[in-house]
Coordinates of all heavy atoms in Angstrom, one line a residue:
M1 N 3.5 -15.1 -9.0 CA 3.7 -14.5 -7.6 C 4.1 -15.5 -6.6 O 4.6 -15.1 -5.6 CB 2.3 -13.8 -7.2 CG 2.5 -13.2 -5.9 SD 2.1 -11.5 -5.8 CE 0.3 -11.6 -5.5
P2 N 3.9 -16.8 -6.7 CA 4.2 -17.7 -5.7 C 5.7 -17.6 -5.2 O 6.0 -17.6 -4.1 CB 4.0 -19.1 -6.2 CG 3.1 -18.9 -7.3 CD 3.2 -17.5 -7.8
G3 N 6.6 -17.3 -6.2 CA 8.0 -17.2 -5.8 C 8.2 -16.0 -4.9 O 9.0 -16.0 -4.0
D4 N 7.5 -14.9 -5.2 CA 7.6 -13.7 -4.3 C 7.2 -14.0 -2.9 O 7.8 -13.6 -1.9 CB 6.8 -12.6 -4.9 CG 7.3 -12.0 -6.2 OD1 8.5 -12.2 -6.4 OD2 6.6 -11.5 -7.0
D5 N 6.0 -14.7 -2.8 CA 5.4 -14.9 -1.4 C 6.3 -15.9 -0.6 O 6.4 -15.8 0.6 CB 4.0 -15.4 -1.6 CG 3.1 -14.2 -2.0 OD1 3.5 -13.0 -1.9 OD2 2.0 -14.5 -2.5
E6 N 6.8 -16.9 -1.3 CA 7.6 -17.9 -0.6 C 8.8 -17.4 0.1 O 9.2 -17.9 1.1 CB 7.9 -19.1 -1.6 CG 6.8 -19.9 -2.1 CD 7.2 -20.8 -3.2 OE1 8.4 -20.9 -3.5 OE2 6.3 -21.4 -3.7
T7 N 9.4 -16.3 -0.5 CA 10.6 -15.8 0.1 C 10.5 -14.4 0.6 O 11.5 -13.7 0.9 CB 11.8 -15.8 -1.0 OG1 11.4 -15.0 -2.1 CG2 12.2 -17.3 -1.4
A8 N 9.3 -13.9 0.8 CA 9.0 -12.6 1.3 C 9.4 -12.5 2.8 O 9.1 -13.4 3.6 CB 7.5 -12.3 1.1
A9 N 10.0 -11.4 3.2 CA 10.3 -11.1 4.6 C 9.6 -9.8 4.9 O 9.9 -8.7 4.3 CB 11.8 -11.0 4.7
Q10 N 8.8 -9.8 5.9 CA 8.0 -8.6 6.3 C 9.0 -7.6 6.9 O 9.8 -7.9 7.8 CB 6.9 -8.9 7.3 CG 6.0 -7.7 7.5 CD 4.6 -8.1 8.0 OE1 4.5 -9.1 8.7 NE2 3.6 -7.3 7.7
V11 N 9.0 -6.4 6.5 CA 9.8 -5.3 7.0 C 9.1 -4.1 7.6 O 9.7 -3.3 8.2 CB 10.8 -4.8 5.9 CG1 11.8 -5.9 5.4 CG2 10.1 -4.2 4.7
L12 N 7.8 -4.2 7.4 CA 6.9 -3.1 8.0 C 5.6 -3.7 8.3 O 5.0 -4.3 7.5 CB 6.9 -1.9 7.0 CG 6.0 -0.7 7.5 CD1 6.6 0.0 8.7 CD2 5.9 0.2 6.3
D13 N 5.1 -3.5 9.6 CA 3.8 -3.9 9.9 C 3.3 -2.9 11.0 O 3.6 -3.1 12.2 CB 3.8 -5.3 10.4 CG 2.4 -5.8 10.7 OD1 1.4 -5.3 10.3 OD2 2.3 -6.8 11.5
V14 N 2.5 -1.9 10.6 CA 2.0 -0.9 11.5 C 0.4 -0.8 11.3 O 0.0 -0.7 10.2 CB 2.6 0.5 11.2 CG1 2.0 1.6 12.1 CG2 4.1 0.4 11.3
R15 N -0.3 -1.0 12.3 CA -1.8 -0.9 12.3 C -2.2 0.0 13.5 O -1.8 -0.2 14.6 CB -2.4 -2.2 12.4 CG -2.0 -3.1 11.3 CD -2.3 -4.6 11.7 NE -1.6 -5.5 10.8 CZ -2.2 -6.2 9.9 NH1 -3.6 -6.2 9.7 NH2 -1.6 -7.0 9.1
E16 N -3.1 1.0 13.2 CA -3.6 1.9 14.2 C -5.1 2.2 13.9 O -5.4 2.5 12.7 CB -2.8 3.1 14.2 CG -3.1 4.0 15.4 CD -2.6 3.4 16.8 OE1 -1.5 2.8 16.8 OE2 -3.2 3.6 17.8
R17 N -5.9 2.1 14.9 CA -7.3 2.6 14.8 C -7.6 3.9 15.5 O -6.9 4.1 16.6 CB -8.3 1.5 15.4 CG -8.3 0.2 14.5 CD -9.5 -0.7 14.9 NE -9.7 -1.7 14.0 CZ -10.3 -1.7 12.8 NH1 -10.8 -0.5 12.4 NH2 -10.4 -2.7 12.0
F18 N -8.4 4.7 14.9 CA -8.7 6.0 15.5 C -10.2 6.1 15.7 O -10.9 6.6 14.8 CB -8.2 7.1 14.6 CG -6.7 7.0 14.2 CD1 -6.3 6.5 13.0 CD2 -5.7 7.3 15.2 CE1 -5.0 6.4 12.6 CE2 -4.4 7.1 14.8 CZ -4.0 6.7 13.6
P19 N -10.7 5.6 16.9 CA -12.2 5.5 17.1 C -12.8 6.8 17.0 O -14.0 6.9 16.7 CB -12.3 4.9 18.5 CG -10.9 4.1 18.7 CD -9.9 4.9 17.9
A20 N -12.1 7.9 17.5 CA -12.8 9.2 17.6 C -13.3 9.7 16.2 O -14.3 10.4 16.2 CB -11.7 10.3 18.1
N21 N -12.6 9.3 15.1 CA -13.2 9.7 13.8 C -13.4 8.5 12.9 O -13.5 8.7 11.7 CB -12.2 10.8 13.1 CG -10.9 10.2 12.8 OD1 -10.5 9.0 13.1 ND2 -10.1 11.0 12.1
A22 N -13.4 7.3 13.5 CA -13.8 6.1 12.7 C -12.9 5.9 11.5 O -13.4 5.6 10.5 CB -15.3 6.1 12.3
T23 N -11.5 6.0 11.8 CA -10.6 5.8 10.7 C -9.5 4.8 11.2 O -9.5 4.5 12.4 CB -9.9 7.1 10.2 OG1 -9.2 7.7 11.3 CG2 -11.0 8.1 9.6
Y24 N -8.7 4.3 10.3 CA -7.6 3.5 10.7 C -6.5 3.8 9.6 O -6.6 4.3 8.6 CB -8.0 2.0 10.5 CG -8.2 1.6 9.1 CD1 -7.2 1.0 8.3 CD2 -9.5 1.8 8.5 CE1 -7.5 0.6 7.1 CE2 -9.7 1.3 7.2 CZ -8.7 0.7 6.5 OH -8.9 0.3 5.2
A25 N -5.3 3.4 10.1 CA -4.1 3.5 9.3 C -3.4 2.1 9.3 O -3.4 1.4 10.3 CB -3.1 4.5 9.7
Q26 N -3.0 1.6 8.1 CA -2.3 0.3 8.1 C -1.1 0.4 7.1 O -1.3 0.9 6.0 CB -3.3 -0.7 7.6 CG -2.7 -2.1 7.5 CD -3.8 -3.1 7.2 OE1 -5.0 -2.9 7.4 NE2 -3.4 -4.3 6.7
A27 N 0.0 0.0 7.4 CA 1.2 0.0 6.5 C 1.9 -1.3 6.7 O 2.2 -1.8 7.8 CB 2.1 1.2 7.0
S28 N 2.0 -2.0 5.5 CA 2.8 -3.2 5.5 C 3.7 -3.3 4.3 O 3.3 -2.7 3.3 CB 1.8 -4.4 5.5 OG 1.0 -4.5 4.4
A29 N 4.8 -3.9 4.5 CA 5.7 -4.0 3.3 C 6.6 -5.3 3.6 O 6.8 -5.7 4.7 CB 6.7 -2.8 3.3
Y30 N 6.9 -5.9 2.4 CA 7.7 -7.2 2.4 C 8.9 -6.9 1.4 O 8.8 -6.4 0.4 CB 6.9 -8.2 1.9 CG 5.7 -8.6 2.8 CD1 4.6 -7.9 2.7 CD2 5.9 -9.7 3.7 CE1 3.5 -8.2 3.5 CE2 4.8 -10.0 4.6 CZ 3.6 -9.2 4.4 OH 2.6 -9.5 5.3
R31 N 10.0 -7.4 1.9 CA 11.2 -7.5 0.9 C 10.9 -8.8 0.2 O 10.7 -9.9 0.8 CB 12.5 -7.6 1.7 CG 13.7 -7.6 0.9 CD 15.0 -7.6 1.7 NE 15.1 -6.6 2.7 CZ 15.2 -6.8 3.9 NH1 15.3 -8.0 4.4 NH2 15.2 -5.8 4.8
V32 N 11.0 -8.7 -1.1 CA 10.8 -9.8 -2.0 C 11.9 -9.9 -3.1 O 12.6 -8.9 -3.3 CB 9.4 -9.7 -2.7 CG1 8.3 -9.8 -1.8 CG2 9.4 -8.5 -3.7
P33 N 12.1 -11.0 -3.7 CA 13.2 -11.1 -4.7 C 12.8 -10.1 -5.8 O 11.7 -9.9 -6.2 CB 13.1 -12.5 -5.3 CG 12.4 -13.3 -4.2 CD 11.5 -12.3 -3.5
R34 N 13.8 -9.4 -6.4 CA 13.6 -8.5 -7.5 C 13.1 -9.4 -8.7 O 13.6 -10.4 -9.0 CB 14.9 -7.8 -7.9 CG 15.4 -6.7 -6.9 CD 16.6 -6.1 -7.3 NE 17.1 -5.2 -6.3 CZ 16.8 -3.9 -6.2 NH1 16.0 -3.3 -7.1 NH2 17.3 -3.2 -5.2
S35 N 12.1 -8.9 -9.3 CA 11.5 -9.6 -10.4 C 10.8 -8.6 -11.4 O 10.8 -7.3 -11.1 CB 10.5 -10.5 -9.9 OG 9.4 -9.8 -9.3
E36 N 10.3 -9.1 -12.4 CA 9.5 -8.2 -13.4 C 8.3 -7.6 -12.7 O 8.0 -6.4 -12.8 CB 9.0 -9.1 -14.6 CG 8.7 -8.2 -15.7 CD 8.4 -9.1 -16.9 OE1 9.3 -9.8 -17.4 OE2 7.2 -9.0 -17.4
R37 N 7.7 -8.3 -11.7 CA 6.6 -7.8 -11.0 C 6.9 -6.8 -9.9 O 6.3 -5.8 -9.7 CB 5.8 -8.9 -10.3 CG 5.1 -9.8 -11.3 CD 4.4 -11.0 -10.6 NE 3.4 -10.7 -9.7 CZ 2.1 -10.3 -9.9 NH1 1.7 -10.3 -11.2 NH2 1.2 -10.1 -9.0
Y38 N 8.1 -7.0 -9.3 CA 8.6 -6.2 -8.2 C 10.0 -5.8 -8.4 O 10.9 -6.3 -7.8 CB 8.4 -6.9 -6.8 CG 6.9 -7.1 -6.5 CD1 6.4 -8.4 -6.7 CD2 6.1 -6.1 -6.1 CE1 5.1 -8.7 -6.4 CE2 4.7 -6.3 -5.9 CZ 4.2 -7.6 -6.0 OH 2.9 -7.8 -5.8
P39 N 10.3 -5.0 -9.4 CA 11.7 -4.7 -9.8 C 12.5 -4.0 -8.7 O 13.7 -4.0 -8.7 CB 11.5 -3.7 -11.0 CG 10.2 -3.2 -10.9 CD 9.3 -4.2 -10.2
D40 N 11.8 -3.3 -7.7 CA 12.5 -2.7 -6.6 C 12.8 -3.7 -5.4 O 13.4 -3.3 -4.5 CB 11.7 -1.5 -6.1 CG 11.6 -0.4 -7.2 OD1 12.6 0.2 -7.6 OD2 10.4 -0.2 -7.6
G41 N 12.3 -4.9 -5.5 CA 12.4 -5.9 -4.4 C 11.7 -5.6 -3.2 O 12.0 -6.0 -2.1
V42 N 10.5 -4.9 -3.3 CA 9.6 -4.6 -2.2 C 8.2 -4.6 -2.7 O 7.9 -4.3 -3.8 CB 10.0 -3.1 -1.6 CG1 9.7 -2.0 -2.6 CG2 9.2 -3.0 -0.3
K43 N 7.4 -5.1 -1.8 CA 5.9 -5.2 -2.1 C 5.3 -4.5 -0.9 O 5.6 -4.8 0.3 CB 5.5 -6.6 -2.2 CG 4.0 -6.9 -2.3 CD 3.7 -8.4 -2.7 CE 3.9 -9.3 -1.5 NZ 3.4 -10.6 -1.9
Y44 N 4.4 -3.4 -1.2 CA 3.9 -2.7 0.0 C 2.4 -2.2 -0.3 O 1.9 -2.1 -1.4 CB 4.8 -1.5 0.2 CG 4.8 -0.5 -1.0 CD1 3.8 0.5 -1.1 CD2 5.7 -0.6 -2.0 CE1 3.8 1.4 -2.2 CE2 5.8 0.3 -3.1 CZ 4.8 1.2 -3.1 OH 4.7 2.1 -4.2
S45 N 1.8 -1.8 0.9 CA 0.5 -1.2 0.9 C 0.5 -0.2 2.1 O 0.7 -0.7 3.2 CB -0.6 -2.2 0.9 OG -1.9 -1.6 1.1
L46 N 0.2 1.0 1.9 CA 0.1 2.0 3.0 C -1.4 2.6 2.8 O -1.6 3.2 1.8 CB 1.1 3.1 2.9 CG 2.5 2.6 2.6 CD1 3.4 3.8 2.3 CD2 3.1 1.8 3.8
Q47 N -2.2 2.3 3.8 CA -3.6 2.7 3.6 C -4.1 3.6 4.8 O -3.9 3.2 6.0 CB -4.5 1.5 3.4 CG -5.9 1.9 3.2 CD -6.7 0.7 2.5 OE1 -6.2 0.1 1.6 NE2 -8.0 0.6 2.9
Y48 N -4.9 4.6 4.5 CA -5.7 5.3 5.5 C -7.1 5.2 5.1 O -7.4 5.5 3.9 CB -5.2 6.8 5.6 CG -6.0 7.6 6.6 CD1 -5.9 7.3 7.9 CD2 -6.7 8.7 6.2 CE1 -6.7 8.1 8.8 CE2 -7.5 9.4 7.0 CZ -7.4 9.2 8.4 OH -8.1 9.9 9.3
G49 N -8.0 4.7 6.0 CA -9.4 4.5 5.6 C -10.4 4.7 6.7 O -10.0 4.9 7.8
R50 N -11.6 4.6 6.3 CA -12.7 4.6 7.2 C -13.0 3.2 7.7 O -13.0 2.3 7.0 CB -14.0 5.2 6.5 CG -13.7 6.6 5.9 CD -14.9 7.6 6.1 NE -15.6 7.5 7.3 CZ -15.4 8.2 8.4 NH1 -14.4 9.1 8.4 NH2 -16.2 8.1 9.5
S51 N -13.3 3.2 9.1 CA -13.5 1.8 9.7 C -15.0 1.6 9.8 O -15.4 0.6 10.3 CB -12.8 1.8 11.0 OG -13.2 2.8 11.9
D52 N -15.9 2.5 9.5 CA -17.3 2.4 9.6 C -18.0 2.1 8.3 O -19.1 2.5 8.2 CB -17.8 3.7 10.3 CG -17.6 5.0 9.6 OD1 -16.9 4.9 8.5 OD2 -18.1 6.0 10.0
T53 N -17.4 1.4 7.4 CA -17.9 1.2 6.1 C -18.6 -0.2 6.1 O -18.3 -1.1 6.9 CB -16.9 1.2 5.0 OG1 -15.9 0.3 5.4 CG2 -16.3 2.6 4.9
P54 N -19.5 -0.5 5.2 CA -20.2 -1.7 5.1 C -19.2 -2.9 4.7 O -18.2 -2.6 4.2 CB -21.2 -1.6 3.9 CG -21.2 -0.2 3.6 CD -20.0 0.5 4.1
D55 N -19.6 -4.1 5.1 CA -18.7 -5.2 4.7 C -18.4 -5.2 3.3 O -19.3 -4.9 2.5 CB -19.4 -6.5 5.1 CG -19.4 -6.7 6.6 OD1 -18.6 -6.1 7.4 OD2 -20.1 -7.6 7.1
G56 N -17.2 -5.6 2.9 CA -16.8 -5.6 1.5 C -16.2 -4.3 1.0 O -15.7 -4.3 -0.1
D57 N -16.3 -3.2 1.8 CA -15.8 -2.0 1.4 C -14.6 -1.7 2.3 O -14.7 -1.7 3.5 CB -16.8 -0.9 1.6 CG -16.4 0.5 1.1 OD1 -15.2 0.8 0.9 OD2 -17.3 1.4 1.0
D58 N -13.4 -1.5 1.7 CA -12.2 -1.2 2.6 C -12.1 0.2 3.1 O -11.3 0.5 3.9 CB -10.9 -1.7 1.9 CG -10.7 -0.8 0.6 OD1 -11.3 0.3 0.4 OD2 -9.7 -1.1 -0.1
G59 N -13.0 1.0 2.7 CA -13.1 2.4 3.3 C -11.9 3.3 2.8 O -11.6 4.3 3.5
T60 N -11.3 3.0 1.8 CA -10.2 3.7 1.3 C -10.4 5.2 1.3 O -11.2 5.7 0.6 CB -9.6 3.3 -0.1 OG1 -9.2 1.9 0.0 CG2 -8.4 4.2 -0.5
I61 N -9.5 6.0 2.0 CA -9.5 7.4 1.8 C -8.2 7.7 0.9 O -8.3 8.5 0.0 CB -9.3 8.1 3.2 CG1 -10.6 8.0 4.1 CG2 -9.0 9.6 3.0 CD1 -10.6 8.4 5.4
I62 N -7.1 7.0 1.3 CA -5.9 7.1 0.4 C -5.2 5.8 0.6 O -5.1 5.3 1.8 CB -5.1 8.3 0.7 CG1 -4.0 8.5 -0.3 CG2 -4.5 8.2 2.1 CD1 -3.2 9.8 -0.2
R63 N -4.6 5.3 -0.5 CA -3.8 4.0 -0.4 C -2.7 4.2 -1.4 O -2.9 4.5 -2.6 CB -4.6 2.8 -0.6 CG -3.7 1.5 -0.5 CD -4.5 0.2 -0.6 NE -5.0 0.0 -2.0 CZ -6.2 0.0 -2.4 NH1 -7.2 0.1 -1.5 NH2 -6.5 -0.3 -3.6
Y64 N -1.4 3.9 -0.9 CA -0.3 3.8 -1.8 C 0.0 2.3 -1.9 O 0.1 1.6 -0.9 CB 0.9 4.5 -1.2 CG 0.8 6.0 -1.2 CD1 0.3 6.6 0.0 CD2 1.2 6.8 -2.2 CE1 0.2 7.9 0.1 CE2 1.2 8.1 -2.1 CZ 0.6 8.7 -1.0 OH 0.6 10.1 -0.9
D65 N 0.3 1.8 -3.1 CA 0.7 0.4 -3.3 C 1.4 0.2 -4.6 O 1.4 1.1 -5.4 CB -0.4 -0.6 -3.1 CG -1.4 -0.6 -4.2 OD1 -1.1 -1.0 -5.3 OD2 -2.6 -0.2 -3.9
N66 N 2.0 -1.0 -4.7 CA 2.7 -1.3 -5.9 C 2.2 -2.7 -6.4 O 2.9 -3.4 -7.1 CB 4.2 -1.3 -5.8 CG 4.8 -2.4 -4.9 OD1 4.1 -2.8 -4.1 ND2 6.0 -2.7 -5.1
F67 N 0.9 -3.0 -6.2 CA 0.4 -4.2 -6.7 C 0.3 -4.1 -8.2 O -0.3 -3.2 -8.8 CB -1.2 -4.3 -6.1 CG -1.7 -5.6 -6.5 CD1 -1.2 -6.9 -6.1 CD2 -2.8 -5.7 -7.3 CE1 -1.9 -8.1 -6.5 CE2 -3.5 -6.8 -7.7 CZ -2.9 -8.0 -7.3
P68 N 1.0 -5.0 -8.9 CA 1.2 -4.9 -10.3 C 0.0 -5.3 -11.2 O 0.1 -5.1 -12.4 CB 2.3 -5.8 -10.6 CG 2.3 -6.9 -9.6 CD 1.7 -6.2 -8.3
D69 N -1.1 -5.7 -10.7 CA -2.2 -6.2 -11.5 C -3.4 -5.2 -11.6 O -4.5 -5.7 -12.0 CB -2.7 -7.5 -10.9 CG -1.6 -8.6 -11.1 OD1 -0.7 -8.4 -11.9 OD2 -1.6 -9.6 -10.3
H70 N -3.2 -4.0 -11.2 CA -4.3 -3.0 -11.4 C -4.2 -2.6 -12.8 O -3.2 -2.1 -13.4 CB -4.1 -1.8 -10.5 CG -4.3 -2.0 -9.1 ND1 -5.4 -2.5 -8.5 CD2 -3.4 -1.8 -8.1 CE1 -5.3 -2.5 -7.2 NE2 -4.1 -2.1 -6.9
P71 N -5.4 -2.8 -13.6 CA -5.3 -2.5 -15.0 C -5.0 -1.0 -15.3 O -5.5 -0.1 -14.6 CB -6.8 -2.7 -15.4 CG -7.4 -3.6 -14.4 CD -6.6 -3.3 -13.1
D72 N -4.1 -0.8 -16.2 CA -3.7 0.6 -16.6 C -3.1 1.5 -15.5 O -3.0 2.7 -15.6 CB -4.9 1.4 -17.2 CG -5.4 0.6 -18.5 OD1 -4.6 0.1 -19.3 OD2 -6.7 0.5 -18.7
A73 N -2.6 0.9 -14.4 CA -2.0 1.7 -13.3 C -0.5 1.6 -13.4 O 0.0 0.5 -13.8 CB -2.5 1.1 -12.0
P74 N 0.1 2.7 -13.1 CA 1.6 2.6 -13.1 C 2.0 1.7 -11.9 O 1.2 1.4 -11.0 CB 2.0 4.1 -12.8 CG 0.8 4.8 -12.4 CD -0.4 4.0 -12.8
L75 N 3.3 1.2 -11.9 CA 3.7 0.3 -10.9 C 3.5 0.9 -9.4 O 2.9 0.4 -8.6 CB 5.2 -0.1 -11.0 CG 5.7 -1.0 -9.9 CD1 4.9 -2.4 -9.9 CD2 7.2 -1.3 -10.2
H76 N 4.1 2.1 -9.2 CA 3.9 2.8 -7.9 C 2.8 3.8 -8.1 O 2.9 4.7 -8.9 CB 5.2 3.5 -7.5 CG 6.4 2.5 -7.4 ND1 6.5 1.7 -6.2 CD2 7.4 2.2 -8.2 CE1 7.6 1.0 -6.4 NE2 8.1 1.3 -7.6
H77 N 1.7 3.6 -7.3 CA 0.5 4.4 -7.5 C -0.2 4.7 -6.2 O 0.0 4.1 -5.2 CB -0.4 3.8 -8.6 CG -0.8 2.4 -8.2 ND1 -0.1 1.3 -8.6 CD2 -1.9 1.9 -7.5 CE1 -0.7 0.2 -8.1 NE2 -1.7 0.5 -7.5
K78 N -1.2 5.6 -6.3 CA -2.0 6.0 -5.1 C -3.5 5.9 -5.6 O -3.8 6.3 -6.6 CB -1.7 7.5 -4.8 CG -2.6 8.1 -3.8 CD -2.1 9.5 -3.3 CE -2.4 10.5 -4.4 NZ -2.1 11.9 -4.0
H79 N -4.3 5.3 -4.6 CA -5.7 5.2 -4.8 C -6.4 6.3 -4.0 O -5.9 6.6 -2.9 CB -6.2 3.9 -4.4 CG -5.6 2.7 -5.0 ND1 -6.4 2.0 -6.0 CD2 -4.5 2.1 -5.0 CE1 -5.6 1.0 -6.5 NE2 -4.5 1.0 -5.9
T80 N -7.4 6.9 -4.4 CA -8.1 8.0 -3.7 C -9.5 7.5 -3.4 O -10.0 6.5 -4.0 CB -8.1 9.3 -4.4 OG1 -8.8 9.2 -5.6 CG2 -6.7 9.8 -4.6
A81 N -10.2 8.2 -2.5 CA -11.5 7.8 -2.1 C -12.5 7.7 -3.3 O -13.5 7.0 -3.3 CB -12.0 8.8 -1.0
D82 N -12.2 8.6 -4.2 CA -13.2 8.6 -5.4 C -12.8 7.6 -6.5 O -13.4 7.6 -7.6 CB -13.2 10.0 -6.0 CG -11.9 10.5 -6.5 OD1 -10.9 9.7 -6.6 OD2 -11.8 11.7 -6.9
G83 N -11.9 6.7 -6.1 CA -11.6 5.6 -7.1 C -10.4 6.0 -8.1 O -10.2 5.1 -8.9
E84 N -9.9 7.1 -8.0 CA -8.9 7.6 -9.0 C -7.6 6.8 -8.6 O -7.3 6.5 -7.4 CB -8.7 9.0 -9.0 CG -9.9 9.8 -9.5 CD -10.1 9.6 -10.9 OE1 -9.2 9.6 -11.7 OE2 -11.3 9.4 -11.3
I85 N -6.8 6.5 -9.6 CA -5.4 6.0 -9.4 C -4.5 6.9 -10.1 O -4.7 7.2 -11.3 CB -5.4 4.5 -9.9 CG1 -6.3 3.6 -9.3 CG2 -3.9 4.1 -9.9 CD1 -6.4 2.2 -9.8
E86 N -3.4 7.3 -9.4 CA -2.4 8.2 -10.0 C -1.0 7.7 -9.7 O -0.8 7.1 -8.6 CB -2.6 9.6 -9.6 CG -2.5 9.8 -8.2 CD -3.0 11.3 -7.8 OE1 -4.2 11.6 -8.0 OE2 -2.1 12.0 -7.2
A87 N -0.1 8.0 -10.5 CA 1.4 7.6 -10.4 C 1.9 8.4 -9.2 O 1.6 9.5 -9.0 CB 2.1 7.9 -11.6
V88 N 2.8 7.7 -8.5 CA 3.6 8.4 -7.4 C 5.1 8.2 -7.7 O 5.5 7.2 -8.2 CB 3.2 8.0 -6.0 CG1 1.8 8.3 -5.7 CG2 3.4 6.5 -5.8
D89 N 5.9 9.1 -7.2 CA 7.3 9.0 -7.3 C 7.7 8.0 -6.2 O 7.3 8.1 -5.1 CB 8.1 10.3 -7.1 CG 7.9 11.2 -8.2 OD1 7.8 10.7 -9.4 OD2 7.9 12.4 -8.1
F90 N 8.6 7.0 -6.5 CA 9.0 6.0 -5.5 C 10.5 6.2 -5.3 O 11.3 5.9 -6.2 CB 8.7 4.6 -5.9 CG 9.0 3.6 -4.9 CD1 8.3 3.4 -3.7 CD2 10.2 2.8 -5.1 CE1 8.6 2.5 -2.8 CE2 10.6 1.9 -4.1 CZ 9.8 1.7 -3.0
D91 N 10.9 6.8 -4.2 CA 12.3 7.0 -3.9 C 12.7 6.1 -2.8 O 13.7 6.4 -2.1 CB 12.6 8.5 -3.6 CG 11.7 9.0 -2.4 OD1 10.8 8.2 -1.9 OD2 11.8 10.1 -2.0
G92 N 12.1 4.9 -2.6 CA 12.3 4.0 -1.6 C 11.2 3.9 -0.6 O 10.4 4.9 -0.5
L93 N 11.2 2.9 0.1 CA 10.1 2.6 1.0 C 10.0 3.7 2.2 O 9.0 4.2 2.5 CB 10.2 1.2 1.6 CG 9.0 0.8 2.5 CD1 7.7 0.9 1.8 CD2 9.3 -0.6 3.1
L94 N 11.2 4.0 2.7 CA 11.2 5.0 3.8 C 10.6 6.3 3.4 O 9.8 7.0 4.1 CB 12.7 5.1 4.4 CG 12.8 6.1 5.5 CD1 12.0 5.6 6.7 CD2 14.3 6.1 6.0
G95 N 11.1 6.8 2.2 CA 10.6 8.1 1.7 C 9.1 8.1 1.5 O 8.4 9.0 1.9
L96 N 8.5 7.0 1.0 CA 7.1 6.9 0.7 C 6.4 6.8 2.1 O 5.3 7.4 2.3 CB 6.8 5.6 -0.1 CG 5.3 5.4 -0.4 CD1 4.8 6.6 -1.3 CD2 5.1 4.2 -1.2
Y97 N 6.9 6.0 3.0 CA 6.3 5.9 4.4 C 6.3 7.3 5.0 O 5.3 7.7 5.7 CB 7.0 5.0 5.2 CG 6.5 4.7 6.6 CD1 5.3 4.0 6.7 CD2 7.1 5.2 7.7 CE1 4.7 3.8 8.0 CE2 6.6 5.0 9.0 CZ 5.4 4.3 9.1 OH 4.9 4.1 10.4
R98 N 7.3 8.1 4.9 CA 7.3 9.4 5.5 C 6.3 10.3 4.9 O 5.6 11.1 5.6 CB 8.7 10.0 5.4 CG 9.7 9.4 6.4 CD 11.1 10.0 6.3 NE 11.9 9.4 7.3 CZ 13.2 9.5 7.3 NH1 13.8 9.9 6.2 NH2 13.9 8.9 8.2
R99 N 6.1 10.2 3.6 CA 5.0 11.0 2.9 C 3.7 10.6 3.4 O 2.8 11.4 3.6 CB 5.1 10.9 1.4 CG 6.2 11.7 0.8 CD 6.0 11.8 -0.7 NE 5.8 10.5 -1.4 CZ 6.6 10.0 -2.2 NH1 7.6 10.6 -2.6 NH2 6.3 8.8 -2.8
F100 N 3.5 9.3 3.6 CA 2.2 8.7 4.1 C 1.9 9.2 5.4 O 0.7 9.5 5.7 CB 2.2 7.2 4.0 CG 1.0 6.5 4.6 CD1 -0.2 6.6 3.9 CD2 1.1 5.8 5.7 CE1 -1.3 5.9 4.3 CE2 0.0 5.2 6.2 CZ -1.2 5.2 5.5
N101 N 2.8 9.3 6.3 CA 2.7 9.8 7.7 C 2.3 11.3 7.6 O 1.9 11.9 8.4 CB 3.8 9.5 8.6 CG 3.9 8.1 9.0 OD1 2.8 7.6 9.4 ND2 5.1 7.5 9.1

């Protein structure tokens, strides 16, 4: 992964807190060299979560990412609050971001 991080260029950085219901949204994405780990040339995480969770708990309600090291997870996947991981269609970062919103 060092090669990916050394040449990564951030293309998305959105963070918002919603105190009224103790949640947050965070979306970040990087353009990276195409590789076996990131064949689409993008590394991303789009997360909606609870902000009132104990330390060490990210409060995930829903998260989309393409982190390649989740055991038995497809490359593009969604995490849910109950810990399930499921495949998602990836038609590009913009399409995924629009579904997330």
Side-chain angles (χ1 to χ4, degrees):
M1 178 129 87
D4 292 333
D5 291 337
E6 289 172 9
T7 58
Q10 191 162 29
V11 296
L12 178 64
D13 184 21
V14 177
R15 299 163 194 250
E16 189 73 37
R17 291 196 171 275
F18 307 103
N21 67 355
T23 61
Y24 69 93
Q26 181 174 342
S28 64
Y30 295 83
R31 185 176 308 119
V32 297
R34 290 181 187 267
S35 66
E36 197 171 300
R37 291 175 62 81
Y38 298 103
D40 298 295
V42 65
K43 176 168 71 169
Y44 64 85
S45 175
L46 313 171
Q47 179 158 326
Y48 178 63
R50 300 218 39 92
S51 56
D52 59 356
T53 58
D55 287 344
D57 183 348
D58 66 7
T60 296
I61 295 171
I62 190 168
R63 181 175 72 244
Y64 294 91
D65 70 68
N66 66 337
F67 184 65
D69 295 336
H70 293 300
D72 301 320
L75 178 59
H76 300 284
H77 55 272
K78 174 175 75 173
H79 300 256
T80 60
D82 61 6
E84 294 295 314
I85 298 175
E86 59 190 62
V88 297
D89 291 329
F90 183 76
D91 55 357
L93 185 58
L94 182 58
L96 185 61
Y97 182 71
R98 286 181 175 155
R99 281 195 312 242
F100 177 67
N101 281 321

